[in-house]
Amino acid sequence: MTDGATPPPSDAAAASGSSGLSTAALLTVALFLAGVAGLGETAVLAVARYGLGRFTHLNPHFAYLSPLWYMTAVLVVIAPLLLSSRRARNEVRMTIAVFPVVLVGSLGVFFLYARLSRWSAFALAAGIAIQATRMAVSRAPTVRALAVRGLPVLGTAILGLVIALNLPSAVAEWRALSRLAADPAKPNVLLIIWDTVRAASLSVYGYDRPTTPTLERLGREGVVLERAYAVAPWTLPSHASLFTGLAFSELSTDWRSPLDDTPPTLAERFAERGYATGGFVANYYYCSRESGLARGFHRYDDYPTPSVSQFALGSAVSRAFFNSWKLRGALGIVDKPGRKEARDVNEEFLTWIERLDGKPFFAFLNYFDAHAPYLPPAPWDTMFGPLLPGRDPSMREGRTFTPRELQAEIDAYDGSIRSLDDHLRLILDALDRLGQLENTIIVVTSDHGEEFGEHGVFTHGNTLYERSLHVPLLIRAPGRSPGGLRVDDWVSIRDVAPTVAAFAGLAPGIGGRSLERYWTARSPANTAIGRQRPDTLVAQVSYARGLPANYPVSAGDMQSILASPHQFIRSGDGREQLFDLTDSVAALQDLSGRPEKSAVMNAMRGYLHRTVLATAVIAIRDVGASPQQ
């Protein structure tokens, strides 16, 4: 030291580079940028949801999961790279800390804009990342100082989001339930919706496979509606109709439009009457809180509590991967992370009612197990057929099936239904153990059916054929409905709401007509219980872009008139079809061109124009969503 020689640099000095930035400082920069990227996604989604009123189809907890995802990625990927490059030039290490974080963060924001191609998004993100890296290298001390000051602010913001998205709802539920009292005179009401379950695949409706032994038991103890039809072949409008009793044309719901706050809902009516109200849903794509269906519920469990699977979907980049069936298929991942199964819904519901201390409840349970991809767990996965080696369970639009492949999908669908039925038995057994079964009105139905190529199309939401609309409807109401009654009149699921309201003595204001008329009404026009003047039912579906051209809904809005024994369908291009639904063969044959059906066709057209087209604005809607939920 005394000879004036410069001492060799220490490990820390070497690691810091020419600007004196240590590994810790560079990691702070990377974490800060990651937090900003995550909150950037949160801000974009917040504007879309609350500013533009659009569906995001995302767990609201992504508001804080997104920045946490990016920051975790930094710790997992960037930190090891920084540690292993301690002797590299500072420019290189700053590039490691900045470029990949800004690239992925920018990609995440651009991926939220669906109309921007992936390649365009990548090009724009790369350009932004290059410019950000150049600036960071040239102004390293300033960037470091900004990160040191900004990281605690980001941490506080993330903590605030955690509290804001969890605490208020928990407090509101506690306060509401604390004001309720036990009242054994009030019947509990349990509304169970098996998403995507068609009546044709249920043994309680004559299917030759034993898919629904529990429903058969329920039918012997209650009422089976043989010909119940949904108002739409997809989730949201059908659920909205079940909650309000309104027809499709009276609802605000559509591919990009939630249920508005105009019509009263069952949950609101029950809450006003002193009931605890709880919703437990597995279809969080179109049944989440942003769908509008949560209105009136004290407790509404849609997305699962933030978990590993939900965390994996924490960024738009990771969601782009898991939403790609090609990428998932290449890695052998057949389902999206975080899918809620029947056992999860059961657990949420039973945990909730056990804490009610005898308070009357209205509960809504939505099960998603029978929705594509059909992936029943063991033992239901092989109950109706062997596992097909190399099976591709994706039911993507435009896919073709060999007979063997199609049968494998039907086998899996039937196994999924049997799983639902067995989980229903567990619910009934639990209610019995709790001493609440005989004071609980139980309604089991579906929001829509499913197609397996009967008319050349698959899944749902793309047509109005009978298999997409005919759904189960069973009601067990001890002391309020007869046991073993099977009603073969054609009814709409919109009548569920007024029926349940009448059972519980709720205030009027719900649409539709109570189904009680089939076992209590007596009048000159209806002298026998269970026989009524047939209803004329209407079902509709709006245009959805992005589907194969051969799918009927690709031609525009569609309407269907169901008046026993016929179904009339009008497509957006003016094409008309007529089917006789009382004959399984005729139900697949278009009878519209037969001379003997001309009077029926004219009557159907007249009814359509008087009741549907005259009161609705028929317009092609650019919805930007695929109707598969």
Side-chain angles (χ1 to χ4, degrees), residues 538-552:
V538 177
Q540 297 175 251
V541 63
S542 301
Y543 164 78
R545 70 178 178 87
L547 295 180
N550 66 304
Y551 279 22

Side-chain angles (χ1 to χ4, degrees), residues 198-414:
R198 65 184 195 175
S201 295
L202 308 185
S203 55
V204 70
Y205 286 97
Y207 190 47
D208 59 4
R209 284 176 162 179
T211 52
T212 52
T214 305
L215 280 190
E216 291 169 35
R217 163 194 161 189
L218 208 64
R220 291 190 294 269
E221 299 173 354
V223 180
V224 179
L225 285 300
E226 300 271 11
R227 307 293 300 192
Y229 291 94
V231 301
W234 65 287
T235 295
L236 182 52
S238 286
H239 276 76
S241 182
L242 282 162
F243 282 8
T244 66
L246 299 180
F248 180 97
S249 59
E250 299 172 300
L251 295 164
S252 63
T253 51
D254 216 327
W255 300 114
R256 283 188 171 182
S257 303
L259 177 65
D260 62 25
D261 59 3
T262 302
T265 67
L266 279 175
E268 288 179 316
R269 288 289 185 246
F270 275 104
E272 293 167 359
R273 186 96 195 290
Y275 278 76
T277 55
F280 307 91
V281 304
N283 181 348
Y284 25 80
Y285 198 77
Y286 272 119
C287 286
S288 68
R289 286 181 178 273
E290 69 176 349
S291 70
L293 298 176
R295 181 156 48 90
F297 285 100
H298 298 131
R299 175 73 170 271
Y300 201 81
D301 286 351
D302 46 8
Y303 292 96
T305 302
S307 59
V308 173
S309 60
Q310 288 294 297
F311 186 77
L313 299 171
S315 78
V317 174
S318 64
R319 291 192 297 274
F321 167 78
F322 286 113
N323 287 335
S324 170
W325 62 264
K326 290 183 178 180
L327 291 176
R328 293 204 315 270
L331 296 178
I333 303 174
V334 296
D335 201 3
K336 296 180 184 179
R339 179 155 163 162
K340 190 186 291 187
E341 298 180 349
R343 63 181 180 182
D344 303 314
V345 177
N346 280 12
E347 182 179 356
E348 290 173 348
F349 165 65
L350 293 175
T351 300
W352 179 70
I353 64 170
E354 287 174 358
R355 296 174 180 172
L356 294 180
D357 296 326
K359 298 178 178 70
F361 65 81
F362 166 66
F364 153 57
L365 277 59
N366 165 278
Y367 295 87
F368 202 57
D369 300 60
H371 192 286
Y374 320 117
L375 297 168
W380 300 282
D381 56 344
T382 58
M383 185 168 287
F384 298 109
L387 294 176
L388 181 65
R391 173 183 169 234
D392 175 7
S394 65
M395 298 293 289
R396 59 188 181 275
E397 288 85 3
R399 177 184 169 187
T400 58
F401 296 86
T402 66
R404 188 183 182 206
E405 289 173 335
L406 180 58
Q407 187 59 53
E409 297 309 311
I410 294 173
D411 292 344
Y413 180 71
D414 292 347

Side-chain angles (χ1 to χ4, degrees), residues 277-584:
T277 55
F280 307 91
V281 304
N283 181 348
Y284 25 80
Y285 198 77
Y286 272 119
C287 286
S288 68
R289 286 181 178 273
E290 69 176 349
S291 70
L293 298 176
R295 181 156 48 90
F297 285 100
H298 298 131
R299 175 73 170 271
Y300 201 81
D301 286 351
D302 46 8
Y303 292 96
T305 302
S307 59
V308 173
S309 60
Q310 288 294 297
F311 186 77
L313 299 171
S315 78
V317 174
S318 64
R319 291 192 297 274
F321 167 78
F322 286 113
N323 287 335
S324 170
W325 62 264
K326 290 183 178 180
L327 291 176
R328 293 204 315 270
L331 296 178
I333 303 174
V334 296
D335 201 3
K336 296 180 184 179
R339 179 155 163 162
K340 190 186 291 187
E341 298 180 349
R343 63 181 180 182
D344 303 314
V345 177
N346 280 12
E347 182 179 356
E348 290 173 348
F349 165 65
L350 293 175
T351 300
W352 179 70
I353 64 170
E354 287 174 358
R355 296 174 180 172
L356 294 180
D357 296 326
K359 298 178 178 70
F361 65 81
F362 166 66
F364 153 57
L365 277 59
N366 165 278
Y367 295 87
F368 202 57
D369 300 60
H371 192 286
Y374 320 117
L375 297 168
W380 300 282
D381 56 344
T382 58
M383 185 168 287
F384 298 109
L387 294 176
L388 181 65
R391 173 183 169 234
D392 175 7
S394 65
M395 298 293 289
R396 59 188 181 275
E397 288 85 3
R399 177 184 169 187
T400 58
F401 296 86
T402 66
R404 188 183 182 206
E405 289 173 335
L406 180 58
Q407 187 59 53
E409 297 309 311
I410 294 173
D411 292 344
Y413 180 71
D414 292 347
S416 299
I417 293 173
R418 178 57 184 265
S419 170
L420 289 173
D421 189 84
D422 287 344
H423 282 90
L424 172 61
R425 174 177 50 80
L426 297 177
I427 286 286
L428 299 180
D429 291 347
L431 289 173
D432 195 23
R433 288 195 304 272
L434 294 170
Q436 299 197 53
L437 182 60
E438 294 309 308
N439 192 40
T440 300
I441 298 164
I442 299 172
V443 179
V444 180
T445 186
S446 179
D447 52 347
H448 55 79
E450 190 82 324
E451 302 264 355
F452 284 97
E454 290 87 356
H455 290 272
V457 295
F458 294 87
T459 67
H460 58 271
N462 46 51
T463 186
L464 290 172
Y465 294 125
E466 191 238 11
R467 294 296 169 88
S468 286
L469 299 176
H470 186 201
V471 296
L473 178 54
L474 296 90
I475 301 171
R476 182 188 185 274
R480 295 170 176 83
S481 67
L485 176 64
R486 299 184 76 98
V487 176
D488 62 0
D489 295 68
W490 294 22
V491 302
S492 171
I493 62 171
R494 64 178 292 199
D495 289 341
V496 168
T499 304
V500 169
F503 282 152
L506 302 185
I510 298 292
R513 294 197 297 157
S514 173
L515 294 168
E516 289 180 303
R517 66 188 186 273
Y518 289 107
W519 53 86
T520 61
R522 294 177 182 271
S523 67
N526 176 35
T527 57
I529 294 177
R531 302 303 305 173
Q532 286 278 326
R533 183 176 61 189
D535 284 344
T536 299
L537 311 179
V538 177
Q540 297 175 251
V541 63
S542 301
Y543 164 78
R545 70 178 178 87
L547 295 180
N550 66 304
Y551 279 22
V553 77
S554 296
D557 295 354
M558 300 180 66
Q559 303 84 32
S560 171
I561 307 297
L562 296 118
S564 181
H566 295 106
Q567 180 189 23
F568 171 85
I569 299 176
R570 184 181 188 277
S571 299
D573 58 1
R575 181 190 179 197
E576 296 176 341
Q577 295 175 286
L578 185 72
F579 302 95
D580 182 346
L581 301 187
T582 60
D583 186 303
S584 59

